[in-house]
Amino acid sequence: MENRSKAPASAPILSATLQSSDRDGYVGNEACAQCHSSIYESYKRTPMAHASGIAIENLIPADFTHRQSGVHYRIYEDAGRAWLSFDRDGKDPIHAKRELLYYIGSGRRGLTYLFADDGFVFESPINWYGDRHVWDMTPAYQGAREMPLNLPAHTSCLHCHVSGMRPPVDGTENRYEMPLLAHSGVSCERCHGPAAAHIKGGSIVNPAKLTPERRDAICMQCHMEGRVSIERAGRHIYDFRPGDSLSDYVRYYVLTGGFSSELGAVSQVEALAQSTCKKASGDKMSCTSCHDPHFTPSAAERVEYFRGKCLACHGASFAAKHHAEQKDCTTCHMPASPSKDVAHTEVTDHRIPRMPALSPQLLQDTNASASKPELVPFPDTKEAEDDLRDLALAWESLANSGMRSARPEAEKMLRRSSEKFPDDPATVAALAYEDQLHGDLAGARTLYQRALAANPALIDAATNLGVIEAQSGNFPVALQLLEGAFSRAPWQSSVGIDLARVFCFAGRAEQGRTVLDRVLEFNPDMAMAKRVRDDLARPKPACGGK
């Protein structure tokens, strides 16, 4: 494989005047600095201000070999540009590189780089883990045995790290017009809203003056993950603006019925809600009770700074008799522990346990068998009628992630939801998949067709329907569906392999090989794709079926 870059040297990768940003009223931090210079100077030293940017401006060199795949990765600078190379000698050699365009993550806890291939944006397969100062595979690829190169940069990730991001091109999940972002880091406007009107004398959002629910939503949009999150019908998380109700855009769900002391990397809001401090203080307490978004204390200031936050509620007299010799309250009451979902990363325990070694307050977990797991919305509010759709999709997401016990509940909820929302494409497509699992291909076909009529951009629905049509021998329709899906997600290797096999069954093996070349462009170490491609080169191919 020849060395190459999919990003031309002339490609713009940052623009302070990105049209979509201007149109939405976003102007960037520099405009705020004109009147708020001290806050601007303080904020630009925080991790949030450095949560993203141009790769070459924050390049951490890497020289790392992945033992399972034998691939040697390097991250380096050449002629003022940042590069990721990947090499393996021997029987199955790989030698290529990609230009790194952006970084996401400040590097304090972690950092990864983004590259583009034909306009599709991906995360680097290796991450920098700041807690341990090591390079390793990304969290999604910790168990990989082949070289992965097709981890899409989804909006759910970009939303929390970049400012002025463009939404994906219609019908795709990770194809973006460049420049991808208008400003480096998380801008002032992430918490205060668009400032174009404000700099002309208009008002702007002050989170402290919002209702508690809308105030807390500003932090929650990036510091809450839950067990499942479901975007509301017709909405996206990146459409949220400060002052809005977050639940109008996305619903978070947590599991009850089992317990675990493990913490997720993005569990701060959920954990804080379980703390005695938050329960006793109610709406008076928020993330900003302890954290100033405009300021990060230095290592020398940290202990006294956060001790002061504790004493603001507990009082100096309490401190004088409660371990006066231990100034760092967090050592005992907010200990760091390994993250359950991100390797090499520690998480501060925002549950603020009173005696963590003896009676930790525990987050919900799916693996325990104390009682039947139940999905509940977070924050837990009175269920509205339209929440049925989101709850059903949340159960389906759990089932598809490997939680087998969730499958019966998912099917039951989806059938109820489809009666109330018969025109919702996500619900109809999910129910079609349930029918497909049960072998009811006729029912699944009808439902997939209905879902695609309402939303032709559904990649999974088009793929699954294409497979059903191929199994029925209806190759022209199958090819139309699979080609459309693969053109919008060529990094989804399984879709390409299905398409190549259908081409073969239709007597067009050479076109199937062309599809597999495209698969290997995005996933060059995929053994299955190589085997199917070799099979399709034979005089009488088995069409990848053996």
Side-chain angles (χ1 to χ4, degrees):
M1 183 180 296
E2 64 179 19
N3 290 340
R4 60 187 176 83
S5 165
K6 279 289 183 177
S10 60
I13 55 177
L14 184 66
S15 171
T17 58
L18 188 64
Q19 288 184 355
S20 64
S21 180
D22 292 344
R23 186 169 57 248
D24 292 338
Y26 286 83
V27 296
N29 290 354
E30 290 73 17
C32 304
Q34 298 174 28
C35 297
H36 305 281
S37 58
S38 61
I39 292 176
Y40 171 79
E41 291 297 328
S42 174
Y43 179 70
K44 74 179 186 180
R45 293 190 289 272
T46 66
M48 283 200 302
H50 296 274
S52 61
I54 306 303
I56 196 63
E57 295 177 357
N58 190 11
L59 195 65
I60 303 175
D63 195 328
F64 167 71
T65 298
H66 181 225
R67 183 175 58 83
Q68 286 86 341
S69 65
V71 175
H72 176 223
Y73 297 95
R74 286 182 62 227
I75 289 178
Y76 60 97
E77 178 183 351
D78 183 24
R81 298 163 73 181
W83 296 91
L84 165 74
S85 68
F86 40 94
D87 298 273
R88 182 178 61 209
D89 295 322
K91 182 180 178 181
D92 192 12
I94 292 176
H95 300 285
K97 64 181 181 180
R98 299 289 188 273
E99 183 179 8
L100 301 174
L101 302 179
Y102 303 99
Y103 71 88
I104 54 174
S106 67
R108 187 178 65 85
R109 290 177 63 183
L111 179 146
T112 192
Y113 294 100
L114 305 181
F115 65 90
D117 193 335
D118 199 16
F120 296 90
V121 180
F122 302 94
E123 295 185 32
S124 163
I126 61 173
N127 267 27
W128 170 252
Y129 293 91
D131 284 348
R132 302 291 174 83
H133 286 76
V134 297
W135 282 97
D136 199 355
M137 305 302 289
T138 71
Y141 292 146
Q142 284 291 307
R145 304 192 68 83
E146 298 175 341
M147 185 197 73
L149 208 63
N150 59 340
L151 179 61
H154 284 307
T155 55
S156 57
C157 178
L158 296 179
H159 167 72
C160 290
H161 289 92
V162 310
S163 297
M165 61 166 282
R166 292 180 182 269
V169 173
D170 286 347
T172 76
E173 296 178 24
N174 67 317
R175 192 171 198 170
Y176 303 91
E177 293 182 12
M178 294 294 173
L180 175 61
L181 54 109
H183 316 287
S184 294
V186 175
S187 73
C188 306
E189 294 161 296
R190 175 58 60 81
C191 299
H192 295 283
H198 180 59
I199 62 177
K200 296 177 181 178
S203 62
I204 197 168
V205 173
N206 181 345
K209 295 183 178 180
L210 297 173
T211 64
E213 182 262 330
R214 292 173 191 256
R215 173 200 67 197
D216 296 344
I218 292 172
C219 298
M220 186 171 162
Q221 63 175 313
C222 292
H223 292 276
M224 173 70 193
E225 198 167 64
R227 186 62 178 83
V228 182
S229 61
I230 301 295
E231 289 185 326
R232 309 305 294 264
R235 296 291 187 95
H236 302 286
I237 181 62
Y238 52 79
D239 293 326
F240 170 80
R241 299 291 181 265
D244 291 345
S245 174
L246 186 60
S247 62
D248 287 343
Y249 297 87
V250 63
R251 256 312 200 178
Y252 297 94
Y253 293 90
V254 296
L255 274 166
T256 64
F259 298 93
S260 168
S261 61
E262 293 182 305
L263 290 156
V266 188
S267 60
Q268 294 89 350
V269 172
E270 180 185 356
L272 180 64
Q274 297 183 45
S275 70
T276 299
C277 293
K278 175 64 174 172
K279 290 176 180 178
S281 302
D283 289 338
K284 291 188 297 182
M285 186 177 188
S286 69
C287 300
T288 56
S289 298
C290 300
H291 296 280
D292 180 350
H294 304 133
F295 170 74
T296 298
S298 67
E301 299 170 316
R302 179 188 167 279
V303 170
E304 284 298 332
Y305 178 83
F306 285 111
R307 179 178 177 81
K309 298 297 184 181
C310 296
L311 297 187
C313 289
H314 292 281
S317 60
F318 173 82
K321 60 185 179 182
H322 182 76
H323 299 299
E325 76 287 352
Q326 173 55 273
K327 299 294 185 183
D328 188 353
C329 306
T330 64
T331 298
C332 294
H333 300 292
M334 297 187 74
S337 60
S339 166
K340 69 178 181 180
D341 50 12
V342 178
H344 311 299
T345 300
E346 292 191 330
V347 182
T348 300
D349 194 343
H350 281 74
R351 298 168 297 190
I352 321 176
R354 181 169 180 268
M355 300 179 69
L358 299 178
S359 56
Q361 294 157 289
L362 304 172
L363 284 177
Q364 308 300 332
D365 185 73
T366 65
N367 297 321
S369 56
S371 62
K372 181 181 177 182
E374 180 183 358
L375 270 178
V376 296
F378 183 95
D380 194 358
T381 57
K382 184 177 180 180
E383 182 176 313
E385 183 174 309
D386 62 347
D387 287 346
L388 176 60
R389 175 244 187 211
D390 306 319
L391 182 59
L393 293 174
W395 277 109
E396 179 76 357
S397 178
L398 274 185
N400 293 340
S401 70
M403 185 177 172
R404 288 183 295 178
S405 60
R407 183 66 67 189
E409 188 69 17
E411 182 176 0
K412 180 180 73 175
M413 294 294 295
L414 283 169
R415 296 200 184 281
R416 283 181 53 200
S417 178
S418 66
E419 292 177 0
K420 284 187 173 292
F421 309 105
D423 299 320
D424 178 63
T427 299
V428 175
L431 189 57
Y433 183 63
E434 292 295 326
D435 283 350
Q436 189 175 4
L437 289 178
H438 287 302
D440 181 5
L441 300 188
R445 176 189 281 112
T446 298
L447 291 173
Y448 281 134
Q449 289 171 341
R450 246 175 62 197
L452 289 168
N455 183 2
L458 295 176
I459 293 173
D460 288 346
T463 300
N464 291 340
L465 180 56
V467 169
I468 289 173
E469 297 294 357
Q471 290 172 339
S472 302
N474 193 355
F475 296 137
V477 173
L479 288 172
Q480 181 182 14
L481 288 162
L482 292 171
E483 283 186 288
F486 188 61
S487 69
R488 291 179 283 119
W491 50 271
Q492 288 199 18
S493 303
S494 60
V495 179
I497 290 175
D498 284 338
L499 175 58
R501 285 172 167 163
V502 176
F503 268 126
C504 181
F505 285 121
R508 298 157 64 181
E510 188 57 37
Q511 287 175 270
R513 282 176 56 81
T514 299
V515 170
L516 292 166
D517 288 339
R518 180 76 163 156
V519 170
L520 291 167
E521 176 186 343
F522 291 90
N523 198 359
D525 199 30
M526 187 179 188
M528 178 183 291
K530 295 174 184 178
R531 287 196 301 269
V532 177
R533 186 182 61 176
D534 290 343
D535 170 56
L536 267 58
R538 297 188 179 101
K540 294 183 178 181
C543 298
K546 293 183 179 179

